[in-house]
Amino acid sequence: MKSSDDLHANRPRIAVTGGAGFIGSHTAVALYESGYAPVIIDDFRNSAAGVIGKIEGLIGAKLECYAVDCGDIASLSQLFAAPLHGAIHFAADKSVGDSVAEPEQYFANNLGSMAHWIRAMRSHGVAHLVFSSSCTVYGEPDSLPVDEQAPLQEATSPYGYTKQAGEQLLRYAHAASHAADKTTPGSGMGAALLRYFNPIGAHPSAAIGELPLGTPSNLVPFLTQAAAGLRDELVVFGNDYPTADGTCVRDYLHVCDLAEAHVAALQHLEKNPGDFDVFNLGSGSGHSVLDVIRTFEAATGVAVPHRIGPRRPGDVISVYAAAQKAADILGWQTKRSLHVALADAWRWQQQVG
Ligand code: UD1
């Protein structure tokens, strides 16, 4: 295995905050495969330290890694000692329910740490930033598919609010960096804000995937645990919505497709230094909860024990992406089907047990 020094010798370094998490770990692999040196910053509050070894196994090289909160800038002097080409900022808490119970934590982590991180990036002249946003910023959209021009709705949870505010922070930071550029040329940064729809699946090797702590609140990890017999049954949250089969509709995309979108966004910023833009990342297709169950069963041959239960408060009825802008500007679109994503999620579930 190559050492992290060898890794740095020829490749642009890209800081990946939250790089041991679900999307961050897959993006670290995609970055390496595209010629970059991912540098992981993760405090492992919601991820396993063993993920780093798994990423290293997939890429065949040692990683540069900092086991700290990305807002703890005093512990990151080594990180900034060598040139950083760009950063992808994933680090955030992401549970809608927990955010309602612990709003202070969500503000402190998703916004406080982020603000420290962005200020450090700007003061070290890091040119490119890719940010993890969410389709949650659209709330219940007025029309479907939802495009980037759709108005943002008032957030229904502290989590959703932190994504909207994170986007706004970057708008201000981008403007400030370009104002400063007039006196300090080269200080203007570029930012790509990526609004994810519903990422699912796992790396086809089953070496990395989603590792929810405790009871999963998201559909696919709960579904695979129910199929594996680790949960009695999946409860479908409501079948009386105004959709084709009465269950909620979402735009599910494979996490490896999503990881590749981050590389495409970074390359877009390299070609368009100082740019600021927002992109939906989704497949463009909506699938109901029952579609997901049926597709999982067809892909794996494994039955999902499930029953219809009450609605979950706060759920949007239907949301899926207009994905054309990412195709036109980033040259990115999803390549992997729902079927493949669910088969990969199942392979991962069987591996983690
Ligand atoms: C939510 C957030 C999203 C966030 C994501 C990750 C909103 C509107 N969306 O997505 O921003 O990035 O969580 O934490 O705030 N379902 C069941 N049974 C279950 C679990 C889920 O039927 O046990 C249904 C839900 O009602 C929903 C669909 O499955 O219709 C997907 O749910 P989930 O995976 O939790 O994601 P979102 O709520 O769409």
Side-chain angles (χ1 to χ4, degrees):
M1 192 176 281
K2 287 179 226 152
S3 75
S4 67
D5 287 347
D6 294 341
L7 182 61
H8 300 162
N10 325 314
R11 292 166 175 261
R13 290 164 77 235
I14 307 294
V16 185
T17 72
F22 175 41
I23 307 170
S25 58
H26 290 79
T27 300
V29 173
L31 284 167
Y32 189 82
E33 286 171 347
S34 301
Y36 298 97
V39 180
I40 307 250
I41 300 140
D42 200 304
D43 64 2
F44 300 100
R45 80 174 72 189
N46 195 20
S47 53
V51 170
I52 301 301
K54 300 290 186 187
I55 300 171
E56 291 176 338
L58 284 170
I59 66 177
K62 292 292 278 180
L63 286 170
E64 183 183 350
C65 183
Y66 299 84
V68 296
D69 183 304
C70 65
D72 179 4
I73 301 305
S75 301
L76 289 170
S77 52
Q78 283 264 89
L79 170 76
F80 291 109
L84 253 191
H85 180 68
I88 306 185
H89 181 60
F90 293 103
D93 290 312
K94 62 167 189 175
S95 160
V96 174
D98 290 353
S99 79
V100 174
E102 301 285 349
E104 303 86 350
Q105 180 191 323
Y106 275 70
F107 275 61
N109 190 30
N110 294 11
L111 294 175
S113 286
M114 177 178 172
H116 290 302
W117 170 250
I118 301 301
R119 187 167 53 191
M121 267 192 58
R122 288 218 294 125
S123 67
H124 289 91
V126 181
H128 312 301
L129 174 71
V130 179
F131 174 60
S132 253
S133 188
S134 167
C135 71
T136 197
V137 300
Y138 298 120
E140 185 81 64
D142 296 330
S143 64
L144 290 169
V146 62
D147 69 22
E148 292 85 351
Q149 301 303 317
L152 306 193
Q153 309 272 3
E154 193 176 338
T156 55
S157 70
Y159 163 77
Y161 180 82
T162 63
K163 288 298 169 189
Q164 294 185 346
E167 288 195 0
Q168 202 54 43
L169 168 57
L170 289 180
R171 265 187 203 91
Y172 289 130
H174 176 261
S177 77
H178 285 269
D181 195 58
K182 297 193 175 74
T183 47
T184 318
S187 61
M189 73 170 188
L193 280 50
L194 307 183
R195 293 178 179 159
Y196 312 154
F197 283 66
N198 287 56
I200 60 165
H203 195 272
S205 66
I208 52 174
E210 193 167 5
L211 271 177
L213 297 181
T215 307
S217 52
N218 292 119
L219 176 63
V220 171
F222 200 106
L223 181 157
T224 57
Q225 290 192 8
L230 303 173
R231 308 272 164 203
D232 289 345
E233 59 186 359
L234 169 71
V235 177
V236 176
F237 294 144
N239 70 344
D240 57 352
Y241 286 102
T243 61
D245 64 19
T247 65
C248 292
V249 170
R250 297 286 184 276
D251 185 336
Y252 297 93
L253 75 161
H254 196 298
V255 65
C256 291
D257 280 330
L258 184 56
E260 289 165 9
H262 291 77
V263 176
L266 186 61
Q267 291 169 343
H268 168 74
L269 292 174
E270 289 169 350
K271 284 188 221 117
N272 301 275
D275 193 33
F276 183 94
D277 215 339
V278 180
F279 299 95
N280 280 348
L281 299 181
S283 69
S285 301
H287 292 278
S288 73
V289 179
L290 293 179
D291 282 339
V292 173
I293 295 173
R294 272 193 297 269
T295 306
F296 177 87
E297 292 182 339
T300 64
V302 178
V304 181
H306 65 279
R307 71 174 165 85
I308 305 297
R311 291 181 175 198
R312 178 171 68 176
D315 262 340
V316 164
I317 301 166
S318 198
V319 62
Y320 50 95
Q324 198 56 43
K325 185 174 172 186
D328 291 345
I329 298 180
L330 304 181
W332 172 89
Q333 57 189 3
T334 58
K335 293 189 289 217
R336 298 156 179 95
S337 66
L338 180 62
H339 192 278
V340 166
L342 292 169
D344 286 341
W346 180 234
R347 197 173 306 114
W348 165 248
Q349 177 64 55
Q350 289 173 293
Q351 192 272 121
V352 290

